[in-house]
Amino acid sequence: MVKQAPKKRATKRVTTYKGAAAKATSGIVPKTEHQGDLINAIKSSCQVIVFGPAGTGKTYVTATMAADLYTTNQIDKIVITRPMISVGKEIGILPGDLGDKVAPWALPVLDVLTKHLGKGTVETGIKNGNIEMAPLALMRGRSFDDAFIICDEAQNITTHELKMLLTRVGEGSTIVLNGDIMQTDLKDGDGLTKITHLAKKHMLPIPIVEFDLDDIVRSDICAQWVRVFYAEKI
């Protein structure tokens, strides 16, 4: 099988934030075997599919790898996209410009980036367009080159939307589709399951990393309840 490893190189992005020269990579150490599999998959392929229960570190590992590539100038930008679906009641229209409206949905990823890059670096990256929160609804016609694209909560994205997203990926980019197919809020089937099926059916050289209940590292409370919800199929 041919690997799709992205080329390691310095990008055209100019790093100007204070203390940039002293920035070090995260030195991430996997807490579980599947976390290690995800790290290796991202290092070796420009497309990765990952799914599994909440609390297994899927988003954390993915965002940390993106932060490391950003720190070492191996990518020009980080693109964050995810469905804007709330849990429970609708929260209404959020105030502010597009960035203000999208930011709350991207917090799970932004929090990890801030931990590794620092608040100033993330704010500067957003201001300069090097860290972008890209709504799926406004993505048609775009192309992302030399970027690390994080598609979070992909279980709540339709097949049609994922088709559009995957055809936005340009040269030198990496995309990670991340989600938990047991938590989909879509009634007619989710795109993550369909894309995973298509990747297997057509034997595409895309690593598929599946976490399980034994991989939950967030907390004992999280692990206990996720097991209950899985057992009850809630």
Side-chain angles (χ1 to χ4, degrees), residues 81-85 134-136 139 150-166 176-179 183-186 188-195:
T81 189
R82 56 177 284 162
M84 296 183 185
I85 299 177
L136 287 164
M139 202 175 288
I150 302 173
C151 180
D152 208 25
E153 299 292 332
Q155 79 277 357
N156 282 325
I157 301 177
T158 66
T159 302
H160 180 73
E161 289 171 325
L162 279 182
K163 174 185 175 182
M164 183 270 297
L165 172 61
L166 290 169
V176 178
L177 302 180
N178 168 26
Q183 292 194 44
T184 182
D185 296 309
L186 302 179
D188 298 325
D190 67 282
L192 181 60
T193 298
K194 183 65 174 180
I195 292 300

PDB file of all heavy atoms in Angstrom, residues 81-85 134-136 139 150-166 176-179 183-186 188-195:
ATOM      1  N   THR A  81     -12.957  22.786  11.342  1.00  0.00           N
ATOM      2  CA  THR A  81     -14.350  22.792  10.908  1.00  0.00           C
ATOM      3  C   THR A  81     -15.118  21.718  11.662  1.00  0.00           C
ATOM      4  O   THR A  81     -14.565  20.662  11.981  1.00  0.00           O
ATOM      5  CB  THR A  81     -14.471  22.585   9.380  1.00  0.00           C
ATOM      6  OG1 THR A  81     -15.827  22.809   8.981  1.00  0.00           O
ATOM      7  CG2 THR A  81     -14.045  21.180   8.964  1.00  0.00           C
ATOM      8  N   ARG A  82     -16.350  22.005  11.957  1.00  0.00           N
ATOM      9  CA  ARG A  82     -17.209  21.060  12.660  1.00  0.00           C
ATOM     10  C   ARG A  82     -18.647  21.521  12.498  1.00  0.00           C
ATOM     11  O   ARG A  82     -18.907  22.688  12.232  1.00  0.00           O
ATOM     12  CB  ARG A  82     -16.838  20.932  14.133  1.00  0.00           C
ATOM     13  CG  ARG A  82     -16.842  22.216  14.904  1.00  0.00           C
ATOM     14  CD  ARG A  82     -16.524  21.978  16.359  1.00  0.00           C
ATOM     15  NE  ARG A  82     -17.669  21.403  17.072  1.00  0.00           N
ATOM     16  CZ  ARG A  82     -17.568  20.780  18.236  1.00  0.00           C
ATOM     17  NH1 ARG A  82     -16.399  20.611  18.801  1.00  0.00           N
ATOM     18  NH2 ARG A  82     -18.640  20.315  18.847  1.00  0.00           N
ATOM     19  N   PRO A  83     -19.599  20.616  12.642  1.00  0.00           N
ATOM     20  CA  PRO A  83     -20.998  21.001  12.494  1.00  0.00           C
ATOM     21  C   PRO A  83     -21.452  21.873  13.658  1.00  0.00           C
ATOM     22  O   PRO A  83     -20.998  21.705  14.784  1.00  0.00           O
ATOM     23  CB  PRO A  83     -21.739  19.659  12.496  1.00  0.00           C
ATOM     24  CG  PRO A  83     -20.853  18.758  13.283  1.00  0.00           C
ATOM     25  CD  PRO A  83     -19.449  19.181  12.953  1.00  0.00           C
ATOM     26  N   MET A  84     -22.330  22.819  13.367  1.00  0.00           N
ATOM     27  CA  MET A  84     -22.844  23.702  14.419  1.00  0.00           C
ATOM     28  C   MET A  84     -24.170  23.151  14.918  1.00  0.00           C
ATOM     29  O   MET A  84     -25.241  23.716  14.676  1.00  0.00           O
ATOM     30  CB  MET A  84     -22.991  25.127  13.881  1.00  0.00           C
ATOM     31  CG  MET A  84     -21.675  25.749  13.487  1.00  0.00           C
ATOM     32  SD  MET A  84     -21.857  27.445  12.947  1.00  0.00           S
ATOM     33  CE  MET A  84     -20.165  27.794  12.436  1.00  0.00           C
ATOM     34  N   ILE A  85     -24.085  22.009  15.590  1.00  0.00           N
ATOM     35  CA  ILE A  85     -25.275  21.356  16.130  1.00  0.00           C
ATOM     36  C   ILE A  85     -25.164  21.343  17.644  1.00  0.00           C
ATOM     37  O   ILE A  85     -24.206  20.802  18.208  1.00  0.00           O
ATOM     38  CB  ILE A  85     -25.410  19.912  15.602  1.00  0.00           C
ATOM     39  CG1 ILE A  85     -25.549  19.920  14.075  1.00  0.00           C
ATOM     40  CG2 ILE A  85     -26.590  19.207  16.252  1.00  0.00           C
ATOM     41  CD1 ILE A  85     -25.617  18.543  13.471  1.00  0.00           C
ATOM     42  N   ALA A 134     -13.486  27.416   9.888  1.00  0.00           N
ATOM     43  CA  ALA A 134     -14.167  27.473   8.600  1.00  0.00           C
ATOM     44  C   ALA A 134     -15.513  26.751   8.653  1.00  0.00           C
ATOM     45  O   ALA A 134     -15.554  25.526   8.734  1.00  0.00           O
ATOM     46  CB  ALA A 134     -13.284  26.852   7.519  1.00  0.00           C
ATOM     47  N   PRO A 135     -16.620  27.492   8.599  1.00  0.00           N
ATOM     48  CA  PRO A 135     -17.935  26.848   8.589  1.00  0.00           C
ATOM     49  C   PRO A 135     -18.136  26.037   7.307  1.00  0.00           C
ATOM     50  O   PRO A 135     -17.772  26.485   6.219  1.00  0.00           O
ATOM     51  CB  PRO A 135     -18.913  28.033   8.635  1.00  0.00           C
ATOM     52  CG  PRO A 135     -18.105  29.196   9.111  1.00  0.00           C
ATOM     53  CD  PRO A 135     -16.720  28.959   8.619  1.00  0.00           C
ATOM     54  N   LEU A 136     -18.710  24.887   7.429  1.00  0.00           N
ATOM     55  CA  LEU A 136     -18.967  24.048   6.255  1.00  0.00           C
ATOM     56  C   LEU A 136     -19.854  24.764   5.243  1.00  0.00           C
ATOM     57  O   LEU A 136     -19.675  24.625   4.029  1.00  0.00           O
ATOM     58  CB  LEU A 136     -19.628  22.740   6.689  1.00  0.00           C
ATOM     59  CG  LEU A 136     -18.733  21.719   7.392  1.00  0.00           C
ATOM     60  CD1 LEU A 136     -19.582  20.671   8.094  1.00  0.00           C
ATOM     61  CD2 LEU A 136     -17.783  21.064   6.409  1.00  0.00           C
ATOM     62  N   MET A 139     -17.803  26.895   2.713  1.00  0.00           N
ATOM     63  CA  MET A 139     -16.554  26.297   2.245  1.00  0.00           C
ATOM     64  C   MET A 139     -16.529  25.987   0.749  1.00  0.00           C
ATOM     65  O   MET A 139     -15.464  25.811   0.157  1.00  0.00           O
ATOM     66  CB  MET A 139     -16.276  25.022   3.039  1.00  0.00           C
ATOM     67  CG  MET A 139     -14.826  24.588   3.046  1.00  0.00           C
ATOM     68  SD  MET A 139     -14.551  23.163   4.119  1.00  0.00           S
ATOM     69  CE  MET A 139     -14.736  23.908   5.739  1.00  0.00           C
ATOM     70  N   ILE A 150      -8.690  19.994  10.544  1.00  0.00           N
ATOM     71  CA  ILE A 150      -9.284  19.179  11.599  1.00  0.00           C
ATOM     72  C   ILE A 150     -10.795  19.230  11.438  1.00  0.00           C
ATOM     73  O   ILE A 150     -11.412  20.279  11.618  1.00  0.00           O
ATOM     74  CB  ILE A 150      -8.894  19.695  12.995  1.00  0.00           C
ATOM     75  CG1 ILE A 150      -7.370  19.701  13.167  1.00  0.00           C
ATOM     76  CG2 ILE A 150      -9.548  18.844  14.087  1.00  0.00           C
ATOM     77  CD1 ILE A 150      -6.903  20.361  14.455  1.00  0.00           C
ATOM     78  N   CYS A 151     -11.378  18.114  11.097  1.00  0.00           N
ATOM     79  CA  CYS A 151     -12.832  17.999  10.998  1.00  0.00           C
ATOM     80  C   CYS A 151     -13.320  17.260  12.232  1.00  0.00           C
ATOM     81  O   CYS A 151     -13.226  16.031  12.309  1.00  0.00           O
ATOM     82  CB  CYS A 151     -13.236  17.277   9.713  1.00  0.00           C
ATOM     83  SG  CYS A 151     -15.023  17.090   9.526  1.00  0.00           S
ATOM     84  N   ASP A 152     -13.813  18.006  13.192  1.00  0.00           N
ATOM     85  CA  ASP A 152     -14.211  17.440  14.481  1.00  0.00           C
ATOM     86  C   ASP A 152     -15.716  17.151  14.483  1.00  0.00           C
ATOM     87  O   ASP A 152     -16.481  17.779  13.750  1.00  0.00           O
ATOM     88  CB  ASP A 152     -13.866  18.430  15.590  1.00  0.00           C
ATOM     89  CG  ASP A 152     -13.601  17.753  16.918  1.00  0.00           C
ATOM     90  OD1 ASP A 152     -13.214  16.574  16.913  1.00  0.00           O
ATOM     91  OD2 ASP A 152     -13.766  18.416  17.963  1.00  0.00           O
ATOM     92  N   GLU A 153     -16.140  16.215  15.308  1.00  0.00           N
ATOM     93  CA  GLU A 153     -17.549  15.836  15.411  1.00  0.00           C
ATOM     94  C   GLU A 153     -18.131  15.451  14.049  1.00  0.00           C
ATOM     95  O   GLU A 153     -19.269  15.804  13.709  1.00  0.00           O
ATOM     96  CB  GLU A 153     -18.368  16.974  16.036  1.00  0.00           C
ATOM     97  CG  GLU A 153     -17.941  17.358  17.433  1.00  0.00           C
ATOM     98  CD  GLU A 153     -18.242  16.269  18.464  1.00  0.00           C
ATOM     99  OE1 GLU A 153     -19.191  15.513  18.251  1.00  0.00           O
ATOM    100  OE2 GLU A 153     -17.520  16.189  19.465  1.00  0.00           O
ATOM    101  N   ALA A 154     -17.341  14.720  13.280  1.00  0.00           N
ATOM    102  CA  ALA A 154     -17.747  14.380  11.911  1.00  0.00           C
ATOM    103  C   ALA A 154     -18.960  13.463  11.851  1.00  0.00           C
ATOM    104  O   ALA A 154     -19.554  13.295  10.783  1.00  0.00           O
ATOM    105  CB  ALA A 154     -16.569  13.745  11.164  1.00  0.00           C
ATOM    106  N   GLN A 155     -19.336  12.870  12.969  1.00  0.00           N
ATOM    107  CA  GLN A 155     -20.526  12.011  12.977  1.00  0.00           C
ATOM    108  C   GLN A 155     -21.809  12.821  12.774  1.00  0.00           C
ATOM    109  O   GLN A 155     -22.863  12.267  12.481  1.00  0.00           O
ATOM    110  CB  GLN A 155     -20.613  11.218  14.281  1.00  0.00           C
ATOM    111  CG  GLN A 155     -21.146  11.987  15.478  1.00  0.00           C
ATOM    112  CD  GLN A 155     -20.072  12.817  16.169  1.00  0.00           C
ATOM    113  OE1 GLN A 155     -18.916  12.779  15.780  1.00  0.00           O
ATOM    114  NE2 GLN A 155     -20.456  13.543  17.211  1.00  0.00           N
ATOM    115  N   ASN A 156     -21.723  14.138  12.915  1.00  0.00           N
ATOM    116  CA  ASN A 156     -22.884  15.004  12.710  1.00  0.00           C
ATOM    117  C   ASN A 156     -22.793  15.790  11.409  1.00  0.00           C
ATOM    118  O   ASN A 156     -23.446  16.826  11.248  1.00  0.00           O
ATOM    119  CB  ASN A 156     -23.057  15.956  13.894  1.00  0.00           C
ATOM    120  CG  ASN A 156     -23.696  15.259  15.085  1.00  0.00           C
ATOM    121  OD1 ASN A 156     -24.548  14.385  14.915  1.00  0.00           O
ATOM    122  ND2 ASN A 156     -23.278  15.620  16.281  1.00  0.00           N
ATOM    123  N   ILE A 157     -21.972  15.300  10.483  1.00  0.00           N
ATOM    124  CA  ILE A 157     -21.848  15.901   9.160  1.00  0.00           C
ATOM    125  C   ILE A 157     -22.408  14.913   8.143  1.00  0.00           C
ATOM    126  O   ILE A 157     -22.131  13.716   8.210  1.00  0.00           O
ATOM    127  CB  ILE A 157     -20.382  16.239   8.837  1.00  0.00           C
ATOM    128  CG1 ILE A 157     -19.820  17.216   9.875  1.00  0.00           C
ATOM    129  CG2 ILE A 157     -20.251  16.828   7.440  1.00  0.00           C
ATOM    130  CD1 ILE A 157     -18.356  17.541   9.672  1.00  0.00           C
ATOM    131  N   THR A 158     -23.181  15.410   7.202  1.00  0.00           N
ATOM    132  CA  THR A 158     -23.789  14.529   6.204  1.00  0.00           C
ATOM    133  C   THR A 158     -22.754  14.073   5.187  1.00  0.00           C
ATOM    134  O   THR A 158     -21.678  14.673   5.056  1.00  0.00           O
ATOM    135  CB  THR A 158     -24.925  15.236   5.458  1.00  0.00           C
ATOM    136  OG1 THR A 158     -24.371  16.315   4.678  1.00  0.00           O
ATOM    137  CG2 THR A 158     -25.956  15.789   6.431  1.00  0.00           C
ATOM    138  N   THR A 159     -23.081  13.031   4.464  1.00  0.00           N
ATOM    139  CA  THR A 159     -22.198  12.544   3.400  1.00  0.00           C
ATOM    140  C   THR A 159     -21.969  13.623   2.356  1.00  0.00           C
ATOM    141  O   THR A 159     -20.850  13.808   1.859  1.00  0.00           O
ATOM    142  CB  THR A 159     -22.801  11.294   2.727  1.00  0.00           C
ATOM    143  OG1 THR A 159     -22.998  10.284   3.722  1.00  0.00           O
ATOM    144  CG2 THR A 159     -21.877  10.755   1.650  1.00  0.00           C
ATOM    145  N   HIS A 160     -23.006  14.369   2.022  1.00  0.00           N
ATOM    146  CA  HIS A 160     -22.893  15.443   1.029  1.00  0.00           C
ATOM    147  C   HIS A 160     -21.910  16.506   1.498  1.00  0.00           C
ATOM    148  O   HIS A 160     -21.077  16.990   0.718  1.00  0.00           O
ATOM    149  CB  HIS A 160     -24.267  16.071   0.790  1.00  0.00           C
ATOM    150  CG  HIS A 160     -24.256  17.187  -0.207  1.00  0.00           C
ATOM    151  ND1 HIS A 160     -24.103  16.980  -1.566  1.00  0.00           N
ATOM    152  CD2 HIS A 160     -24.348  18.537  -0.042  1.00  0.00           C
ATOM    153  CE1 HIS A 160     -24.127  18.144  -2.191  1.00  0.00           C
ATOM    154  NE2 HIS A 160     -24.264  19.097  -1.288  1.00  0.00           N
ATOM    155  N   GLU A 161     -21.973  16.857   2.776  1.00  0.00           N
ATOM    156  CA  GLU A 161     -21.063  17.867   3.315  1.00  0.00           C
ATOM    157  C   GLU A 161     -19.629  17.361   3.342  1.00  0.00           C
ATOM    158  O   GLU A 161     -18.681  18.112   3.034  1.00  0.00           O
ATOM    159  CB  GLU A 161     -21.515  18.278   4.711  1.00  0.00           C
ATOM    160  CG  GLU A 161     -22.796  19.095   4.728  1.00  0.00           C
ATOM    161  CD  GLU A 161     -23.332  19.313   6.126  1.00  0.00           C
ATOM    162  OE1 GLU A 161     -23.195  18.388   6.970  1.00  0.00           O
ATOM    163  OE2 GLU A 161     -23.899  20.384   6.390  1.00  0.00           O
ATOM    164  N   LEU A 162     -19.431  16.095   3.723  1.00  0.00           N
ATOM    165  CA  LEU A 162     -18.076  15.545   3.738  1.00  0.00           C
ATOM    166  C   LEU A 162     -17.513  15.420   2.331  1.00  0.00           C
ATOM    167  O   LEU A 162     -16.303  15.582   2.120  1.00  0.00           O
ATOM    168  CB  LEU A 162     -18.062  14.182   4.440  1.00  0.00           C
ATOM    169  CG  LEU A 162     -18.035  14.226   5.972  1.00  0.00           C
ATOM    170  CD1 LEU A 162     -17.985  12.821   6.545  1.00  0.00           C
ATOM    171  CD2 LEU A 162     -16.850  15.042   6.471  1.00  0.00           C
ATOM    172  N   LYS A 163     -18.359  15.123   1.355  1.00  0.00           N
ATOM    173  CA  LYS A 163     -17.923  15.100  -0.039  1.00  0.00           C
ATOM    174  C   LYS A 163     -17.378  16.464  -0.437  1.00  0.00           C
ATOM    175  O   LYS A 163     -16.312  16.565  -1.054  1.00  0.00           O
ATOM    176  CB  LYS A 163     -19.091  14.718  -0.949  1.00  0.00           C
ATOM    177  CG  LYS A 163     -18.790  14.805  -2.439  1.00  0.00           C
ATOM    178  CD  LYS A 163     -20.034  14.517  -3.265  1.00  0.00           C
ATOM    179  CE  LYS A 163     -19.766  14.737  -4.759  1.00  0.00           C
ATOM    180  NZ  LYS A 163     -20.993  14.508  -5.574  1.00  0.00           N
ATOM    181  N   MET A 164     -18.096  17.512  -0.078  1.00  0.00           N
ATOM    182  CA  MET A 164     -17.647  18.866  -0.370  1.00  0.00           C
ATOM    183  C   MET A 164     -16.341  19.190   0.346  1.00  0.00           C
ATOM    184  O   MET A 164     -15.404  19.744  -0.232  1.00  0.00           O
ATOM    185  CB  MET A 164     -18.749  19.856   0.014  1.00  0.00           C
ATOM    186  CG  MET A 164     -18.449  21.317  -0.314  1.00  0.00           C
ATOM    187  SD  MET A 164     -17.616  22.144   1.044  1.00  0.00           S
ATOM    188  CE  MET A 164     -18.882  22.037   2.314  1.00  0.00           C
ATOM    189  N   LEU A 165     -16.241  18.803   1.629  1.00  0.00           N
ATOM    190  CA  LEU A 165     -15.038  19.089   2.409  1.00  0.00           C
ATOM    191  C   LEU A 165     -13.820  18.369   1.846  1.00  0.00           C
ATOM    192  O   LEU A 165     -12.747  18.979   1.675  1.00  0.00           O
ATOM    193  CB  LEU A 165     -15.256  18.675   3.866  1.00  0.00           C
ATOM    194  CG  LEU A 165     -14.026  18.723   4.780  1.00  0.00           C
ATOM    195  CD1 LEU A 165     -13.470  20.135   4.870  1.00  0.00           C
ATOM    196  CD2 LEU A 165     -14.373  18.189   6.168  1.00  0.00           C
ATOM    197  N   LEU A 166     -13.946  17.101   1.564  1.00  0.00           N
ATOM    198  CA  LEU A 166     -12.802  16.313   1.085  1.00  0.00           C
ATOM    199  C   LEU A 166     -12.288  16.803  -0.265  1.00  0.00           C
ATOM    200  O   LEU A 166     -11.112  16.621  -0.582  1.00  0.00           O
ATOM    201  CB  LEU A 166     -13.190  14.834   1.006  1.00  0.00           C
ATOM    202  CG  LEU A 166     -13.383  14.137   2.361  1.00  0.00           C
ATOM    203  CD1 LEU A 166     -14.033  12.772   2.181  1.00  0.00           C
ATOM    204  CD2 LEU A 166     -12.052  14.001   3.088  1.00  0.00           C
ATOM    205  N   VAL A 176      -7.851  15.308   8.951  1.00  0.00           N
ATOM    206  CA  VAL A 176      -8.231  14.280   9.912  1.00  0.00           C
ATOM    207  C   VAL A 176      -9.732  14.387  10.152  1.00  0.00           C
ATOM    208  O   VAL A 176     -10.227  15.439  10.573  1.00  0.00           O
ATOM    209  CB  VAL A 176      -7.480  14.435  11.249  1.00  0.00           C
ATOM    210  CG1 VAL A 176      -7.947  13.363  12.241  1.00  0.00           C
ATOM    211  CG2 VAL A 176      -5.972  14.340  11.032  1.00  0.00           C
ATOM    212  N   LEU A 177     -10.455  13.307   9.858  1.00  0.00           N
ATOM    213  CA  LEU A 177     -11.884  13.218  10.142  1.00  0.00           C
ATOM    214  C   LEU A 177     -12.058  12.510  11.473  1.00  0.00           C
ATOM    215  O   LEU A 177     -11.641  11.365  11.635  1.00  0.00           O
ATOM    216  CB  LEU A 177     -12.606  12.442   9.041  1.00  0.00           C
ATOM    217  CG  LEU A 177     -12.487  12.968   7.607  1.00  0.00           C
ATOM    218  CD1 LEU A 177     -13.270  12.070   6.656  1.00  0.00           C
ATOM    219  CD2 LEU A 177     -12.961  14.407   7.502  1.00  0.00           C
ATOM    220  N   ASN A 178     -12.671  13.189  12.424  1.00  0.00           N
ATOM    221  CA  ASN A 178     -12.722  12.705  13.803  1.00  0.00           C
ATOM    222  C   ASN A 178     -14.152  12.725  14.318  1.00  0.00           C
ATOM    223  O   ASN A 178     -14.871  13.710  14.132  1.00  0.00           O
ATOM    224  CB  ASN A 178     -11.828  13.610  14.661  1.00  0.00           C
ATOM    225  CG  ASN A 178     -12.014  13.393  16.143  1.00  0.00           C
ATOM    226  OD1 ASN A 178     -12.400  12.320  16.593  1.00  0.00           O
ATOM    227  ND2 ASN A 178     -11.747  14.425  16.914  1.00  0.00           N
ATOM    228  N   GLY A 179     -14.592  11.643  14.938  1.00  0.00           N
ATOM    229  CA  GLY A 179     -15.934  11.650  15.491  1.00  0.00           C
ATOM    230  C   GLY A 179     -16.258  10.400  16.283  1.00  0.00           C
ATOM    231  O   GLY A 179     -15.424   9.508  16.460  1.00  0.00           O
ATOM    232  N   GLN A 183     -22.649   8.826  18.691  1.00  0.00           N
ATOM    233  CA  GLN A 183     -23.261  10.060  19.182  1.00  0.00           C
ATOM    234  C   GLN A 183     -23.818  10.920  18.053  1.00  0.00           C
ATOM    235  O   GLN A 183     -23.948  12.129  18.194  1.00  0.00           O
ATOM    236  CB  GLN A 183     -22.231  10.883  19.982  1.00  0.00           C
ATOM    237  CG  GLN A 183     -21.816  10.249  21.288  1.00  0.00           C
ATOM    238  CD  GLN A 183     -21.078  11.224  22.193  1.00  0.00           C
ATOM    239  OE1 GLN A 183     -21.469  12.370  22.354  1.00  0.00           O
ATOM    240  NE2 GLN A 183     -19.994  10.763  22.783  1.00  0.00           N
ATOM    241  N   THR A 184     -24.138  10.318  16.935  1.00  0.00           N
ATOM    242  CA  THR A 184     -24.674  11.106  15.827  1.00  0.00           C
ATOM    243  C   THR A 184     -26.078  11.599  16.146  1.00  0.00           C
ATOM    244  O   THR A 184     -26.883  10.897  16.766  1.00  0.00           O
ATOM    245  CB  THR A 184     -24.688  10.291  14.519  1.00  0.00           C
ATOM    246  OG1 THR A 184     -25.186  11.126  13.458  1.00  0.00           O
ATOM    247  CG2 THR A 184     -25.568   9.053  14.644  1.00  0.00           C
ATOM    248  N   ASP A 185     -26.365  12.837  15.741  1.00  0.00           N
ATOM    249  CA  ASP A 185     -27.688  13.414  15.901  1.00  0.00           C
ATOM    250  C   ASP A 185     -28.452  13.440  14.582  1.00  0.00           C
ATOM    251  O   ASP A 185     -29.528  14.031  14.503  1.00  0.00           O
ATOM    252  CB  ASP A 185     -27.569  14.846  16.449  1.00  0.00           C
ATOM    253  CG  ASP A 185     -26.961  14.875  17.846  1.00  0.00           C
ATOM    254  OD1 ASP A 185     -27.446  14.130  18.709  1.00  0.00           O
ATOM    255  OD2 ASP A 185     -25.992  15.632  18.063  1.00  0.00           O
ATOM    256  N   LEU A 186     -27.884  12.817  13.544  1.00  0.00           N
ATOM    257  CA  LEU A 186     -28.521  12.791  12.235  1.00  0.00           C
ATOM    258  C   LEU A 186     -29.449  11.582  12.126  1.00  0.00           C
ATOM    259  O   LEU A 186     -29.069  10.468  12.476  1.00  0.00           O
ATOM    260  CB  LEU A 186     -27.454  12.743  11.132  1.00  0.00           C
ATOM    261  CG  LEU A 186     -26.443  13.906  11.120  1.00  0.00           C
ATOM    262  CD1 LEU A 186     -25.441  13.703  10.000  1.00  0.00           C
ATOM    263  CD2 LEU A 186     -27.158  15.242  10.968  1.00  0.00           C
ATOM    264  N   ASP A 188     -30.825  10.401   9.252  1.00  0.00           N
ATOM    265  CA  ASP A 188     -30.722   9.668   7.985  1.00  0.00           C
ATOM    266  C   ASP A 188     -29.339   9.085   7.724  1.00  0.00           C
ATOM    267  O   ASP A 188     -28.962   8.826   6.589  1.00  0.00           O
ATOM    268  CB  ASP A 188     -31.112  10.591   6.827  1.00  0.00           C
ATOM    269  CG  ASP A 188     -32.553  11.061   6.928  1.00  0.00           C
ATOM    270  OD1 ASP A 188     -33.384  10.253   7.390  1.00  0.00           O
ATOM    271  OD2 ASP A 188     -32.831  12.219   6.575  1.00  0.00           O
ATOM    272  N   GLY A 189     -28.559   8.868   8.774  1.00  0.00           N
ATOM    273  CA  GLY A 189     -27.222   8.307   8.597  1.00  0.00           C
ATOM    274  C   GLY A 189     -26.169   9.391   8.541  1.00  0.00           C
ATOM    275  O   GLY A 189     -26.397  10.461   7.978  1.00  0.00           O
ATOM    276  N   ASP A 190     -25.018   9.120   9.132  1.00  0.00           N
ATOM    277  CA  ASP A 190     -23.966  10.138   9.195  1.00  0.00           C
ATOM    278  C   ASP A 190     -22.914   9.920   8.121  1.00  0.00           C
ATOM    279  O   ASP A 190     -22.696   8.805   7.636  1.00  0.00           O
ATOM    280  CB  ASP A 190     -23.300  10.114  10.576  1.00  0.00           C
ATOM    281  CG  ASP A 190     -22.528   8.825  10.818  1.00  0.00           C
ATOM    282  OD1 ASP A 190     -23.175   7.802  11.114  1.00  0.00           O
ATOM    283  OD2 ASP A 190     -21.295   8.839  10.688  1.00  0.00           O
ATOM    284  N   GLY A 191     -22.262  11.011   7.748  1.00  0.00           N
ATOM    285  CA  GLY A 191     -21.261  10.965   6.692  1.00  0.00           C
ATOM    286  C   GLY A 191     -19.991  10.239   7.089  1.00  0.00           C
ATOM    287  O   GLY A 191     -19.334   9.623   6.244  1.00  0.00           O
ATOM    288  N   LEU A 192     -19.636  10.274   8.376  1.00  0.00           N
ATOM    289  CA  LEU A 192     -18.401   9.623   8.817  1.00  0.00           C
ATOM    290  C   LEU A 192     -18.464   8.118   8.581  1.00  0.00           C
ATOM    291  O   LEU A 192     -17.500   7.512   8.106  1.00  0.00           O
ATOM    292  CB  LEU A 192     -18.151   9.915  10.296  1.00  0.00           C
ATOM    293  CG  LEU A 192     -16.873   9.326  10.900  1.00  0.00           C
ATOM    294  CD1 LEU A 192     -15.636   9.846  10.183  1.00  0.00           C
ATOM    295  CD2 LEU A 192     -16.796   9.622  12.396  1.00  0.00           C
ATOM    296  N   THR A 193     -19.617   7.517   8.909  1.00  0.00           N
ATOM    297  CA  THR A 193     -19.783   6.082   8.666  1.00  0.00           C
ATOM    298  C   THR A 193     -19.699   5.773   7.174  1.00  0.00           C
ATOM    299  O   THR A 193     -19.058   4.805   6.766  1.00  0.00           O
ATOM    300  CB  THR A 193     -21.137   5.605   9.225  1.00  0.00           C
ATOM    301  OG1 THR A 193     -21.156   5.816  10.642  1.00  0.00           O
ATOM    302  CG2 THR A 193     -21.348   4.131   8.947  1.00  0.00           C
ATOM    303  N   LYS A 194     -20.340   6.583   6.357  1.00  0.00           N
ATOM    304  CA  LYS A 194     -20.343   6.368   4.909  1.00  0.00           C
ATOM    305  C   LYS A 194     -18.955   6.524   4.317  1.00  0.00           C
ATOM    306  O   LYS A 194     -18.513   5.695   3.495  1.00  0.00           O
ATOM    307  CB  LYS A 194     -21.304   7.360   4.243  1.00  0.00           C
ATOM    308  CG  LYS A 194     -21.435   7.187   2.732  1.00  0.00           C
ATOM    309  CD  LYS A 194     -22.058   5.854   2.366  1.00  0.00           C
ATOM    310  CE  LYS A 194     -22.326   5.760   0.871  1.00  0.00           C
ATOM    311  NZ  LYS A 194     -22.947   4.465   0.493  1.00  0.00           N
ATOM    312  N   ILE A 195     -18.240   7.550   4.712  1.00  0.00           N
ATOM    313  CA  ILE A 195     -16.893   7.779   4.173  1.00  0.00           C
ATOM    314  C   ILE A 195     -15.950   6.662   4.591  1.00  0.00           C
ATOM    315  O   ILE A 195     -15.102   6.209   3.808  1.00  0.00           O
ATOM    316  CB  ILE A 195     -16.361   9.156   4.645  1.00  0.00           C
ATOM    317  CG1 ILE A 195     -17.160  10.286   3.996  1.00  0.00           C
ATOM    318  CG2 ILE A 195     -14.876   9.304   4.329  1.00  0.00           C
ATOM    319  CD1 ILE A 195     -17.111  10.327   2.482  1.00  0.00           C
TER     320      ILE A 195
END
